[in-house]
Amino acid sequence: GWYLYTHRSVDRTPISSIAVLPLENLSGDPAQEYFADGITDELITEVAHLHPLRVISRTSVMRYKGTRKPLKEIAGELGVDAVLEGSVTRSNSQVRVTGQLIEARTDTHLWSGEYTREMRDIISLQREIAGDIAREIQLHLLPEQQTRITTASPVDPEAHELFLRGLHFWDQRTAESMVQATKYFNDSINREPGFAPAWAYLSTSYCIANNLNADEPKAGYPKALEAAQRALRLDPGSAEAHTAMACTRNLFEWNLEQGEAELRKAIDLNPSYALAHQWYAWVLLRTGRPEESNNEMGLALRNDPLSLRTNLTYVNDLLQARKYEGEIKQALEVVQLYPENVGIHRSLAEGYEHTGKLGKAKEEFDKFLAGGGTGNSPRVTCQRLSFLQCQQKFYKLDSEKWLLDVEQRRKNGYYVSPADYARIYLRLGDKRQAIRWLESAYEHRCTIVLDLTLPEFDELRSEPAFQALVTKVGLPRAVQ
């Protein structure tokens, strides 16, 4: 009987997609939550290298942190075949990770494991888990994937902890958080110069700061480039390192051809890497391929379905590609997922405006004004205005406030990008000043000039000076 049981034929549906849920922090110290989240993030990265297995991104699975929702229901919401859940405990110089893999369709326990290592061997631990999962689901691995699983260099525990702290701030994507992220990544590198992930994320930190107009591009470029180069030398098989190089090529060098090549390489290495798909969509839109851009954002969303940031980026991508019906549909999805998000109503208003549904546009814009922290002035004024008049009034008041803010920042000695002034004067309807600041942005190598073919700048398109600037940048024709 035992022989028949152990040699039985199991009718199991192949596992082609998986979600790694946030590891539970069992250290007893709430201050260690960042550590558990960071280990989750790294484990997702390692499992994602097991392609063709599709792995859901961290920003979506983190919605289930602390939830008691049934695993089968979670798997259904994320669209995956299996779920990995577990815990992490750190004690002095050791870390213990437990995990169990559950098949969603049958709610069947497929595998479980417990791993204890010295902190300096944490990468080896994560790769061993990935390898055990691959064997359990009978995944055929390429030689380079097998090599990755069996080779991992030790990392200084303090350098690793500094890296995880950096990840915490990096994921917030604000000008202030990028300052903290770069500090922690630099501190990590100073302790462990051979730790490739810290170099890769340091590079993208400078890129994100540049995209947020938080720093002078000419100051950030050499640091971003050096960090990306170091990451690639240390780990040529890292999707994050190739994405960092792509970001440097695109945002600092305006070399979209090489940037695209790096992103394609990153996606080949990790097809589940939603950020690479997202930034590839950014390139495609700016090189005159809106349909491909929308498709790429669809892939990003498939791998990161519940992320607010990815969903909003998809909405914006559709809007910039002038796919207004699709933009409205996606924005309504965001309203369902994130009813507390007020900004999405502004995007919906814009979509309805372009499809001629001005009544619906006004309804959505009123919702935005009611919950967007704009104060009572625009709301009271708009009660007596049509949607288009209301929108124009809001933009004027908002831009005047924005102008006062950036002037104050400049007086206090902070960097203020010409891109900010260009957008302010564009909203104020001052075309001459907007173009003057766009020309200054070109001289300062600001990323805004890569957006000149997008709908945001349609009001300037007939101006000879603007046309000359587009030609100088070398952009394709505007998205139609």
Side-chain angles (χ1 to χ4, degrees):
W2 177 252
Y3 176 86
L4 292 174
Y5 174 78
T6 55
H7 289 76
R8 73 197 186 284
S9 174
V10 180
D11 181 19
R12 182 192 296 175
T13 303
I15 303 297
S16 62
S17 55
I18 186 173
V20 180
L21 296 184
L23 296 175
E24 186 179 359
N25 170 28
L26 296 184
S27 67
D29 180 4
Q32 292 297 312
E33 287 298 327
Y34 81 92
F35 180 79
D37 293 346
I39 298 298
T40 302
D41 198 12
E42 290 184 315
L43 184 55
I44 289 171
T45 298
E46 293 303 332
V47 176
H49 277 87
L50 303 177
H51 58 84
L53 185 68
R54 181 170 65 88
V55 183
I56 299 299
S57 294
R58 173 188 184 274
T59 40
S60 284
V61 299
M62 288 307 290
R63 279 190 62 125
Y64 298 100
K65 185 177 173 66
T67 186
R68 296 301 174 199
K69 187 176 287 191
L71 293 182
K72 191 171 183 178
E73 189 176 337
I74 292 174
E77 292 174 356
L78 293 172
V80 295
D81 301 323
V83 172
L84 177 68
E85 66 169 358
S87 64
V88 59
T89 309
R90 183 169 64 167
S91 177
N92 299 322
S93 64
Q94 286 195 325
V95 60
R96 183 173 74 251
V97 176
T98 66
Q100 59 176 344
L101 188 66
I102 309 296
E103 183 182 33
R105 183 178 63 88
T106 59
D107 203 20
T108 302
H109 182 280
L110 299 179
W111 162 88
S112 66
E114 180 175 319
Y115 306 79
T116 302
R117 295 284 188 282
E118 293 294 316
M119 273 299 303
R120 63 185 295 103
D121 295 320
I122 185 64
I123 306 300
S124 175
L125 180 154
Q126 293 162 353
R127 292 184 181 179
E128 184 177 347
I129 293 175
D132 288 348
I133 291 172
R135 281 187 288 275
E136 177 58 37
I137 64 177
Q138 299 175 9
L139 196 65
H140 176 70
L141 297 180
L142 299 173
E144 56 267 28
Q145 292 173 308
Q146 294 172 341
T147 300
R148 180 180 178 86
I149 287 172
T150 56
T151 58
S153 300
V155 59
D156 178 86
E158 188 170 338
H160 184 254
E161 180 162 343
L162 289 165
F163 170 70
L164 295 186
R165 290 184 183 274
L167 276 184
H168 171 76
F169 288 103
W170 181 89
D171 195 52
Q172 295 174 27
R173 299 292 207 284
T174 66
E176 294 75 20
S177 70
M178 286 303 113
V179 173
Q180 292 296 318
T182 54
K183 175 188 178 299
Y184 281 117
F185 293 143
N186 271 309
D187 288 347
S188 175
I189 288 163
N190 287 337
R191 287 196 63 89
E192 184 74 85
F195 190 38
W199 284 109
Y201 280 93
L202 176 63
S203 178
T204 53
S205 296
Y206 291 124
C207 289
I208 293 168
N210 175 51
N211 204 38
L212 293 170
N213 300 321
D215 197 8
E216 172 71 46
K218 292 177 181 177
Y221 169 58
K223 292 181 282 191
L225 179 61
E226 180 193 9
Q229 289 172 334
R230 290 290 293 271
L232 282 172
R233 281 200 297 270
L234 289 166
D235 188 358
S238 164
E240 291 77 14
H242 284 281
T243 302
M245 182 57 77
C247 196
T248 302
R249 299 293 187 217
N250 291 330
L251 299 186
F252 288 107
E253 298 178 2
W254 303 351
N255 188 338
L256 302 189
E257 184 177 348
Q258 284 192 19
E260 179 178 344
E262 290 289 348
L263 286 168
R264 292 172 75 92
K265 178 65 174 175
I267 292 169
D268 285 343
L269 288 166
N270 182 359
S272 297
Y273 194 23
L275 187 64
H277 287 289
Q278 184 176 319
W279 286 358
Y280 186 24
W282 182 95
V283 172
L284 290 166
L285 191 64
R286 283 152 184 80
T287 51
R289 292 172 282 174
E291 295 285 351
E292 292 178 60
S293 178
N294 295 161
N295 291 339
E296 203 64 34
M297 273 308 307
L299 292 174
L301 197 64
R302 183 168 179 260
N303 294 314
D304 201 6
L306 303 184
S307 162
L308 175 61
R309 184 163 57 234
T310 304
N311 271 277
L312 291 178
T313 302
Y314 192 19
V315 169
N316 193 50
D317 193 74
L318 290 162
L319 197 59
Q320 291 175 331
R322 305 180 196 271
K323 307 295 183 183
Y324 301 120
E325 294 292 350
E327 185 264 350
I328 292 170
K329 181 181 178 182
Q330 186 58 37
L332 289 172
E333 291 281 343
V334 177
V335 172
Q336 291 297 315
L337 279 172
Y338 289 90
E340 74 282 1
N341 184 271
V342 176
I344 192 62
H345 295 289
R346 185 172 174 180
S347 299
L348 264 172
E350 194 168 348
Y352 283 129
E353 175 194 355
H354 285 291
T355 54
K357 301 171 184 174
L358 297 186
K360 283 184 171 289
K362 188 166 189 345
E363 287 178 20
E364 294 299 330
F365 206 71
D366 285 344
K367 291 177 186 176
F368 164 68
L369 292 177
T374 58
N376 287 326
S377 179
R379 292 180 62 194
V380 172
T381 303
C382 278
Q383 291 174 359
R384 304 187 299 273
L385 300 175
S386 69
F387 164 66
L388 293 176
Q389 291 170 326
C390 171
Q391 186 183 56
Q392 186 177 25
K393 181 69 174 178
F394 169 77
Y395 284 157
K396 184 175 184 299
L397 292 172
D398 189 53
S399 298
E400 287 171 348
K401 179 180 179 298
W402 188 5
L403 183 58
L404 290 174
D405 290 344
V406 297
E407 285 291 349
Q408 189 60 52
R409 281 182 57 81
R410 186 179 60 81
K411 288 176 182 176
N412 291 340
Y414 292 99
Y415 170 75
V416 176
S417 172
D420 289 331
Y421 284 107
R423 286 197 162 99
I424 288 168
Y425 284 111
L426 181 62
R427 289 279 180 85
L428 290 172
D430 190 334
K431 295 182 181 180
R432 185 181 63 83
Q433 282 280 58
I435 292 172
R436 184 174 77 84
W437 281 105
L438 284 173
E439 289 170 341
S440 177
Y442 174 82
E443 297 299 329
H444 284 80
R445 305 291 296 178
C446 299
T447 309
I448 190 175
V449 300
L450 300 177
D451 299 344
L452 297 184
T453 60
L454 303 183
E456 178 183 3
F457 297 98
D458 281 354
E459 292 180 27
L460 303 179
R461 210 152 310 282
S462 61
E463 299 293 323
F466 181 81
Q467 293 173 0
L469 182 59
V470 172
T471 300
K472 188 161 58 172
V473 177
L475 295 169
R477 64 184 178 84
V479 175
Q480 298 300 320

